[in-house]
Amino acid sequence: MLSAFTARAIIELKQRDKSKIESVLAYGDRLLVGLSTGSLRIYRVNEVFNVSNGEIAADDKDAPESTPKAVDLLRVEEKFSKYKIEHLAIIKEANILVALSNSYVSIHDLQSYELQETLTKTKGASAFTVTSNIVKDPSTGIPSIVSRLAVAVKRRLLLWSWHDSELSPETTELTLVTSIKTLTWATGTRLIAGLSSSYVLVDVETSAITDVVGPGSIGGAPGQDGGRFGAVGVGAIGYMGMGGVAPKPLATRLNEGQLLLAKDINTLFIDDSGQSLGKRQIPWSVAPEAIGYSYPFLLALQATKGTLEVRNPETLTCLQSISLPNANQMHVAQPNVSLAHAGKGFLISSDRCIWRMDALGYDAQIDALVEKNKLDEAISLMGLLEDALLNDKDGRLREVKMLKAQGLFDMKRFRESLDLFTEVGAPPERVIRLYPDRITGNIEEVKGDVEQEPITASTTTDSTISAPENDNKSIRSVKHSKKESVGIASLKKAASVRDSDAASVHSKAPDGQQQPAELEGKDLEVATSELASFLVDARTRLQRYLNTDGSLKEPIPEKHATLNESMENSIIETSLENLLVQQKQNVEKSREQQLRDTAKLVDTTIFRAYMFVRPTMAGPLLRLPNFCDPGVVNEKLLETKRYSDLIDFFFGKHLHREALELLKKFGQGSNEEDIAPQLRGPQRTVAYLQNLSPDKIDLMLEFAEWAIKADPHLGMEIFLTDSENAETLPRTPVLDFLHHIDPELEFEYLKYIISELNDPTPDFHQRLIDIYMNRLKSPHLEAAQKTTRQDEFLDFLRTSQHYESWRVLKQLQKDDPDLYEARAIVLGNLKEHRQALDIYVFKLNNPEKAEDYCNQIYLAENTAPSSPTQSRRVSVSTAGVDVRSIYHTLLALYLSPPPPHNPQWGPALDILAKHGSRLPASSTLNLIPEVLPIQKLESYFRARMRAANSNVNESRVIVGLRKSIDAREEAKLLLGDEKTGVPGGRNRRVIITEERVCGVCHKRFGGSAIKVLPK
């Protein structure tokens, strides 16, 4: 499956050499080999591991093509030990070499390899392990290197420690329940001890011992069999049957605080606190001889088979099996010892040979897995690797996931496939290309942009449809210029490989297999439904960059930027690249245009998908701001007779002429035609025109004509509806249009804009007066209609202040009895009150209207804002002043009329009784003839006296109120505001001490003059 490592023999003992390899230790460029004879051989490794690209390179680049020796033997320590050297380790910070031989642990100098000390306490030792870690002092925070040595002596665990290369005099000893077989450091202070029947976690600082609960022979809870084959595995049975011993308990550290325990064929993944991680067991059929971890792979040496297994620690899949005859030991350098990344270069040894396992580059490993269609393994492996170890890790991981998604799609697991495409943010075009033409449209290989026939009358209706010439912003047809958009067919043009590591969306089928068949039937429906969900997510991503009109929300950042900006811009750049459609060769487009092309492709495909699986969803999509291709939408909706949705789409795309032509055709169609009932008649056209903006007034008037002629009352709702569009229409064109159709409609619209919208335009007011006068002159009016219209006309003359009175007065004939009152109103507007009253008194002979006229004029001239200190009545002192008023003019007409009229005593006495107080006394009495009895003037004099008394009383009340206000203000000045409860005003007291300073200038007061501020 994978060639993650290649075995290269670097040391082979000669045939005449009777010794055996018992232990191996590698650090730096040194390789120490402990033999069964007690000799120690020191080698220099001539090749080093290149961490940057994962390849082996010779030190001498200019060396000839002949392969140099892998190692050079530097020296041999024949008398290193009298017995075989079972295990080797170094504590580099203390410059010592630790060896296990003859059941003793001894310490040697790392440079001279001379024996420094034999730890006598370790008599009977079976295993040891070392670790070095940087530890901060809890009190001072100063870091120091702490190295520890743990030795297993039967049931005892002995611990030594070094602090910054100084051996601590204290030795810790712990006793466990059974004999210790193996030791493995979990952290700098905790280690896993493999016992005869179980595992325990030992904390060397607190001496706490925790049992590890696991399946089978690893060590379960009381009464628990666990294990796939009971308490004893088949490996143990085999060993026991051959008279051997049970497999020893194995353990190794993994990545990120994880450990693997293995005994027989049972395994357990735990964290560094001894808790199970809940992972499944590794499917071993034979118990391994040794296990290890070389980042990021799990290693297992099968001694019985002579093979090395390389597994993925996440999926537990065996990725590689390497044949190593008679191999029985594995040496993986610890990260804190080896310069290689996390022990990537490791050694395997047998009794006669040592192999170095050279790793293949991580990029090459990923490529190999992808090539063999092991996409899950590739995804898992990239998840384990750090970002710096792969070229464009995020891009490669995304690409492999997309390949996996396509594989799921080919297996008809559509939901999983599209969910994965959504997770990685796959380019919409790439996913769309997986579907047949009935979903994506026809694919045509065309050089340049694809041009399609524009929407014309032949494609929508039988009548001619053409867009207005001044509607530059609207989309008039499907025909696209080369600088604006690209057709769907050109977007789907094959582009199998991008410039990056991205592979083709259509991977080649393995040999002997056929490409997946084209989708159809139920599978196509399910796949299309999932596609719609995916594209909705892509549409949401596009909305981050594009406004509804196709413009960019924010400028796309430049490629040349500072370091911090470039890191942020790279994220935006990547997300943009994941959305953009592929460009054809020799076609350069801006990012903004590419985004619009992508949005067009996405929205059009969503529309096709909805029309295929859920046609009812197409309408809501088209009513939203969208980038759908008008030609595709027009064709599909006409084909399925979804005319309402088509009209909504035309409205959103500003194709108003096309929509109105369609509505006109359907609205004027006969009932026998196959047309939806809601499209018959002018109702839908009226509703459409009501939503048009005022700048489309020419188009509105063009199509409003047939609707108004068909139903005038409904058609007038276009202009009379309570909406912003109707209220902001240009009114002069509307009036001219309505006058051309029917003056009555013009009259109705004029009343609306003047009475409802309060339009102050003088021309409109004059125009309405002209219509009123023309209607009153009509000989066909009945008496009731004439009276009603005359009342409306008079009310308008009274209320309107925006017509030209002198112009109207010329139009009103003096000898027309129907216009007498109208002339009076207009004369009143011109301040010709005597002429107006002359009409009311002598021509209309209506004292009530004359009095009402005087009341209106008096109130208009004397209305002023009142206050408590200002009387609204005429004071006593001014009551006798000769100030002429409108009532005096009326009284003069009654008592001294021009010839040939006679005096009117009754109306005159009524005016004196009701409004006598408003008349100047002297001039009023002069008008009264001497022959009039005083008795008839009683009501006049009573009113005068009553008014005088009222003025006096009102003056007294005002004086009292002013006194009360003065008293309140004076009290407030002297005592301050009572609400605060603090002395204030002039009674406020301020204590001045020697330390008191001014709050403004901050100087000491001393003998200076003192001024207290209000606050």
Side-chain angles (χ1 to χ4, degrees):
M1 180 185 298
L2 178 66
S3 297
F5 299 97
T6 56
R8 183 164 58 96
I10 58 174
I11 296 177
E12 293 187 41
L13 299 183
K14 298 180 180 179
Q15 293 183 356
R16 64 175 179 272
D17 192 345
K18 302 303 181 182
S19 58
K20 297 181 180 179
I21 299 173
E22 295 291 341
S23 58
V24 177
L25 173 63
Y27 66 96
D29 62 344
R30 293 294 186 267
L31 176 59
L32 307 184
V33 180
L35 302 179
S36 59
T37 59
S39 299
L40 179 67
R41 296 183 182 180
I42 299 95
Y43 295 89
R44 182 183 65 195
V45 181
N46 292 326
E47 295 176 338
V48 296
F49 190 81
N50 190 337
V51 180
S52 62
N53 54 18
E55 296 178 355
I56 301 298
D59 291 339
D60 187 6
K61 296 183 179 179
D62 299 330
E65 296 182 358
S66 59
T67 305
K69 288 185 178 181
V71 295
D72 291 328
L73 180 62
L74 299 181
R75 59 189 293 186
V76 178
E77 293 290 333
E78 296 288 350
K79 298 181 180 180
F80 185 82
S81 176
K82 295 181 180 180
Y83 303 94
K84 65 180 181 179
I85 305 173
E86 301 177 20
H87 188 38
L88 292 171
I90 65 168
I91 301 178
K92 188 175 182 180
E93 292 72 26
N95 197 34
I96 60 175
L97 171 66
V98 184
L100 173 61
S101 179
N102 192 27
S103 300
Y104 279 95
V105 175
S106 57
I107 298 177
H108 302 257
D109 185 87
L110 187 57
Q111 303 299 325
S112 62
Y113 306 105
E114 293 181 357
L115 177 65
Q116 292 184 350
E117 180 183 1
T118 298
L119 303 178
T120 56
K121 290 184 178 181
T122 62
K123 181 179 180 181
S126 58
F128 76 88
T129 183
V130 298
T131 185
S132 296
N133 300 276
I134 298 177
V135 180
K136 287 187 177 181
D137 188 280
S139 59
T140 64
I142 299 175
S144 61
I145 299 178
V146 178
S147 302
R148 289 186 173 89
L149 167 65
V151 182
V153 182
K154 298 182 180 179
R155 293 174 51 196
R156 293 181 301 142
L157 178 63
L158 305 178
L159 298 167
W160 284 267
S161 62
W162 283 259
H163 296 266
D164 291 332
S165 74
E166 294 295 331
L167 177 62
S168 176
E170 299 180 357
T171 302
T172 303
E173 181 175 339
L174 299 174
T175 302
L176 305 183
V177 293
T178 59
S179 60
I180 304 171
K181 302 298 182 181
T182 58
L183 293 173
T184 304
W185 286 103
T187 64
T189 59
R190 285 177 287 188
L191 57 81
I192 292 290
L195 309 182
S196 300
S197 58
S198 63
Y199 289 86
V200 294
L201 178 68
V202 180
D203 191 321
V204 299
E205 290 186 333
T206 63
S207 300
I209 301 174
T210 305
D211 292 329
V212 178
V213 179
S217 56
I218 288 182
Q224 180 182 5
D225 289 336
R228 291 173 289 162
F229 299 99
V232 181
V234 294
I237 296 175
Y239 279 110
M240 298 297 288
M242 292 185 291
V245 295
K248 62 181 179 179
L250 305 176
T252 184
R253 288 177 62 180
L254 303 178
N255 196 22
E256 299 178 354
Q258 299 181 10
L259 293 95
L260 171 64
L261 309 182
K263 187 173 183 182
D264 192 19
I265 59 172
N266 296 299
T267 58
L268 178 66
F269 289 90
I270 62 171
D271 57 17
D272 53 14
S273 61
Q275 300 299 319
S276 174
L277 298 177
K279 293 185 178 180
R280 64 186 181 91
Q281 297 192 48
I282 300 176
W284 282 326
S285 59
V286 179
E289 180 68 21
I291 60 174
Y293 179 74
S294 179
Y295 182 89
F297 298 107
L298 177 63
L299 309 173
L301 183 61
Q302 302 283 358
T304 56
K305 295 182 178 181
T307 58
L308 174 69
E309 289 185 358
V310 180
R311 292 181 180 270
N312 184 326
E314 293 293 331
T315 63
L316 306 182
T317 304
C318 182
L319 302 177
Q320 185 180 9
S321 182
I322 306 173
S323 176
L324 300 171
N326 302 319
N328 53 19
Q329 290 189 42
M330 180 189 307
H331 172 72
V332 181
Q334 296 297 323
N336 58 349
V337 175
S338 174
L339 295 179
H341 177 70
K344 188 171 183 179
F346 63 96
L347 303 174
I348 301 293
S349 66
S350 64
D351 293 342
R352 308 291 296 176
C353 182
I354 298 177
W355 293 273
R356 176 162 182 167
M357 310 307 295
D358 296 331
L360 186 67
Y362 291 127
D363 291 303
Q365 294 181 28
I366 299 299
D367 292 340
L369 288 173
V370 173
E371 183 178 356
K372 295 179 180 179
N373 204 29
K374 301 298 180 181
L375 303 180
D376 286 327
E377 297 298 331
I379 294 171
S380 175
L381 181 57
M382 283 189 283
L384 295 174
L385 293 172
E386 298 176 2
D387 295 351
L389 300 179
L390 285 173
N391 294 327
D392 187 20
K393 175 183 174 180
D394 293 338
R396 292 172 65 89
L397 179 61
R398 178 173 174 271
E399 179 62 28
V400 174
K401 286 186 176 181
M402 285 193 288
L403 292 175
K404 177 185 177 182
Q406 169 154 359
L408 294 172
F409 190 89
D410 294 340
M411 291 186 289
K412 299 183 179 181
R413 295 163 62 180
F414 303 117
R415 171 161 294 186
E416 298 176 49
S417 172
L418 272 297
D419 286 347
L420 188 54
F421 275 128
T422 303
E423 175 188 339
V424 301
E429 179 189 6
R430 182 169 183 170
V431 180
I432 292 171
R433 291 174 60 85
L434 299 174
Y435 288 79
D437 292 347
R438 62 185 305 184
I439 302 301
T440 62
N442 295 326
I443 302 177
E444 298 179 0
E445 298 286 340
V446 181
K447 292 184 179 180
D449 292 344
V450 175
E451 294 189 359
Q452 300 178 0
E453 292 297 330
I455 298 179
T456 62
S458 60
T459 59
T460 55
T461 67
D462 295 335
S463 59
T464 303
I465 300 179
S466 60
E469 295 179 359
N470 59 353
D471 193 7
N472 295 327
K473 295 183 179 179
S474 65
I475 304 174
R476 298 183 57 182
S477 65
V478 185
K479 184 176 181 180
H480 308 286
S481 65
K482 295 183 179 180
K483 296 182 179 180
E484 292 178 347
S485 61
V486 68
I488 293 180
S490 64
L491 293 176
K492 293 172 59 64
K493 185 176 180 180
S496 58
V497 181
R498 292 198 177 191
D499 294 336
S500 63
D501 295 325
S504 170
V505 74
H506 290 290
S507 58
K508 294 182 179 179
D511 295 340
Q513 297 184 12
Q514 297 180 354
Q515 290 285 358
E518 184 173 323
L519 293 175
E520 58 184 12
K522 186 66 174 178
D523 291 337
L524 181 58
E525 292 183 8
V526 175
T528 305
S529 178
E530 298 299 332
L531 174 65
S533 301
F534 167 79
L535 292 178
V536 168
D537 178 78
R539 192 173 192 271
T540 303
R541 286 187 286 148
L542 281 167
Q543 291 174 352
R544 302 173 188 171
Y545 306 101
L546 284 179
N547 293 310
T548 56
D549 60 353
S551 61
L552 290 175
K553 289 186 175 179
E554 295 180 359
I556 297 177
E558 298 291 338
K559 293 185 178 179
H560 303 286
T562 62
L563 179 60
N564 293 335
E565 291 176 348
S566 61
M567 294 178 65
E568 298 176 359
N569 295 347
S570 62
I571 300 175
I572 301 176
E573 182 76 14
T574 302
S575 60
L576 278 176
E577 288 294 336
N578 295 343
L579 283 171
L580 299 180
V581 297
Q582 299 177 7
Q583 299 185 50
K584 297 190 294 293
Q585 296 179 355
N586 302 324
V587 176
E588 292 294 335
K589 292 184 179 180
S590 65
R591 292 296 178 85
E592 182 178 355
Q593 183 59 46
Q594 292 182 51
L595 280 172
R596 284 197 292 266
D597 293 344
T598 304
K600 181 178 180 180
L601 174 64
V602 169
D603 285 357
T604 304
T605 309
I606 293 177
F607 168 74
R608 287 180 178 273
Y610 283 159
M611 290 301 295
F612 182 71
V613 293
R614 291 191 296 270
T616 55
M617 293 295 294
L621 171 67
L622 298 178
R623 284 187 284 273
L624 293 173
N626 61 80
F627 295 89
C628 291
D629 190 322
V632 175
V633 175
N634 180 69
E635 178 185 355
K636 285 288 184 182
L637 294 182
L638 286 178
E639 178 183 343
T640 56
K641 298 182 179 181
R642 303 184 69 86
Y643 304 120
S644 295
D645 292 339
L646 179 58
I647 292 168
D648 292 337
F649 173 72
F650 281 157
F651 181 83
K653 288 296 182 182
H654 303 288
L655 296 171
H656 303 305
R657 180 170 293 275
E658 287 78 355
L660 291 170
E661 288 282 2
L662 196 63
L663 287 172
K664 182 178 180 181
K665 177 190 174 184
F666 293 150
Q668 294 178 340
S670 62
N671 295 334
E672 298 178 357
E673 298 182 11
D674 187 12
I675 301 173
Q678 62 270 22
L679 295 179
R680 294 195 180 101
Q683 293 87 351
R684 189 66 186 272
T685 299
V686 171
Y688 191 99
L689 292 174
Q690 287 174 342
N691 291 315
L692 291 183
S693 58
D695 59 335
K696 302 292 189 303
I697 183 63
D698 294 336
L699 191 66
M700 292 177 62
L701 299 181
E702 178 183 349
F703 288 93
E705 183 174 357
W706 82 267
I708 293 176
K709 289 181 179 179
D711 189 340
H713 177 72
L714 179 63
M716 283 301 294
E717 291 296 322
I718 300 172
F719 311 108
L720 303 182
T721 185
D722 186 13
S723 67
E724 183 179 356
N725 288 340
E727 294 175 3
T728 55
L729 287 174
R731 290 159 188 172
T732 300
V734 175
L735 286 170
D736 295 340
F737 168 74
L738 295 175
H739 178 76
H740 172 71
I741 296 178
D742 187 353
E744 287 295 328
L745 301 179
E746 178 191 11
F747 173 70
E748 183 179 357
Y749 184 67
L750 278 171
K751 287 200 303 181
Y752 169 74
I753 62 176
I754 292 174
S755 60
E756 298 293 336
L757 304 183
N758 299 319
D759 193 315
T761 306
D763 290 343
F764 295 160
H765 288 252
Q766 186 63 44
R767 199 164 179 170
L768 183 57
I769 291 175
D770 294 341
I771 295 177
Y772 271 123
M773 294 180 65
N774 292 332
R775 296 178 66 181
L776 290 174
K777 294 177 182 179
S778 176
H780 305 290
L781 286 177
E782 297 179 359
Q785 289 181 334
K786 187 173 183 178
T787 302
T788 303
R789 292 189 178 185
Q790 190 170 9
D791 292 341
E792 292 178 1
F793 178 48
L794 296 177
D795 289 340
F796 178 72
L797 290 176
R798 292 190 189 97
T799 56
S800 176
Q801 302 295 327
H802 302 290
Y803 59 87
E804 297 176 351
S805 299
W806 61 270
R807 182 178 174 184
V808 176
L809 187 61
K810 290 181 178 181
Q811 295 177 281
L812 298 174
Q813 299 176 6
K814 295 181 179 181
D815 55 353
D816 189 349
D818 295 333
L819 300 179
Y820 283 161
E821 189 172 356
R823 284 184 60 83
I825 295 173
V826 174
L827 287 170
N829 293 337
L830 293 173
K831 306 301 181 183
E832 298 292 340
H833 301 308
R834 185 175 183 85
Q835 297 183 37
L837 289 173
D838 186 271
I839 294 174
Y840 283 118
V841 173
F842 301 115
K843 291 186 178 182
L844 294 177
N845 194 21
N846 193 330
E848 291 80 7
K849 289 187 177 182
E851 184 181 355
D852 291 341
Y853 177 83
C854 292
N855 292 337
Q856 294 174 7
I857 299 301
Y858 179 82
L859 292 176
E861 292 178 351
N862 294 276
T863 300
S866 60
S867 64
T869 61
Q870 181 179 357
S871 175
R872 292 172 294 177
R873 300 178 181 269
V874 180
S875 64
V876 176
S877 61
T878 61
V881 179
D882 190 3
V883 181
R884 302 272 179 137
S885 68
I886 187 66
Y887 297 103
H888 186 276
T889 304
L890 178 59
L891 184 62
L893 290 175
Y894 282 141
L895 298 178
S896 302
H901 302 290
N902 298 320
Q904 300 181 26
W905 305 107
L909 293 175
D910 288 341
I911 292 296
L912 288 173
K914 294 179 180 178
H915 307 288
S917 61
R918 298 176 178 177
L919 294 170
S922 60
S923 60
T924 302
L925 293 175
N926 291 334
L927 290 175
I928 299 175
E930 296 179 357
V931 296
L932 185 69
I934 297 299
Q935 183 180 2
K936 293 186 177 181
L937 296 175
E938 180 183 359
S939 60
Y940 166 70
F941 290 119
R942 287 182 180 275
R944 294 288 302 184
M945 289 185 290
R946 191 178 295 112
N949 291 335
S950 297
N951 291 335
V952 172
N953 293 334
E954 184 176 356
S955 299
R956 291 175 180 174
V957 172
I958 291 174
V959 170
L961 290 175
R962 284 178 174 173
K963 289 181 179 180
S964 175
I965 293 173
D966 291 343
R968 184 172 66 250
E969 293 299 325
E970 186 176 359
K972 186 175 180 181
L973 177 64
L974 295 175
L975 304 177
D977 192 357
E978 298 179 357
K979 297 180 180 179
T980 59
V982 179
R986 293 179 179 176
N987 288 341
R988 180 183 176 191
R989 297 181 297 276
V990 180
I991 300 175
I992 303 299
T993 62
E994 294 182 356
E995 292 79 12
R996 190 74 180 265
V997 295
C998 176
V1000 178
C1001 64
H1002 305 289
K1003 293 182 179 180
R1004 193 185 300 267
F1005 285 110
S1008 304
I1010 300 173
K1011 181 179 181 180
V1012 179
L1013 300 177
K1015 295 182 181 180

